[in-house]
Amino acid sequence: EVQLQASGGGLVQSGGSLRLSCAASGFSFGDYAIAWFRQAPGKEREGVSSIGSSGSNTFYADSVKGRFTIARDNAKNTVYLQMNSLKPEDTAVYYCAGGLYYSDYDLLPAMFDYWGQGTQVTVSS
């Protein structure tokens, strides 16, 4: 059974930090790109960041570039999203997803086959 378990969300003040984790099982993790998406109430799901299968390639949405860092540990089947300098507009449910296709230029939900449950991130002003 494919599982992607996102954790690490919570309530933080503006300017604070959180680290999200995505633990994967049930598929060949080292062959898959992993991404983080987020969805705020009333808004479409938005691509935040992705990382290629080896960890050498990363993509960031303009809205998080310079504040968020994605990394993976293939020995632990886990991807991390370090989020610094958080802003109220970062408030959303964050989802991790896995897919065989990675792009340096785009990040769309249709590129990913496997999805985890979300973790809530709330940034207070």
Side-chain angles (χ1 to χ4, degrees):
E1 179 187 6
V2 171
Q3 287 193 336
L4 288 164
Q5 183 77 32
S7 61
L11 173 64
V12 64
Q13 288 189 331
S14 182
S17 298
L18 283 173
R19 188 177 82 154
L20 304 184
S21 297
C22 175
S25 61
F27 62 100
S28 298
F29 181 80
D31 293 334
Y32 278 71
I34 303 294
W36 288 96
F37 289 81
R38 66 186 181 188
Q39 189 164 18
K43 295 189 177 181
E44 292 188 356
R45 192 164 293 192
E46 172 192 21
V48 175
S49 181
S50 61
I51 187 165
S53 59
S54 68
S56 299
N57 299 88
T58 57
F59 173 91
Y60 296 95
D62 287 343
S63 58
V64 307
K65 206 170 288 184
R67 300 188 297 123
F68 290 11
T69 302
I70 193 169
R72 67 189 295 160
D73 184 339
N74 283 353
K76 295 183 178 180
N77 284 11
T78 302
V79 168
Y80 305 98
L81 185 69
Q82 178 67 43
M83 306 187 296
N84 298 330
S85 303
L86 282 162
K87 305 175 181 180
E89 51 264 43
D90 294 318
T91 295
V93 177
Y94 283 70
Y95 301 88
C96 57
L100 288 171
Y101 180 69
Y102 168 83
S103 171
D104 282 328
Y105 307 105
D106 212 346
L107 181 53
L108 300 172
M111 294 162 58
F112 295 86
D113 304 308
Y114 304 137
W115 290 83
Q117 95 298 347
T119 186
Q120 176 71 47
V121 171
T122 303
V123 184
S124 63
S125 57

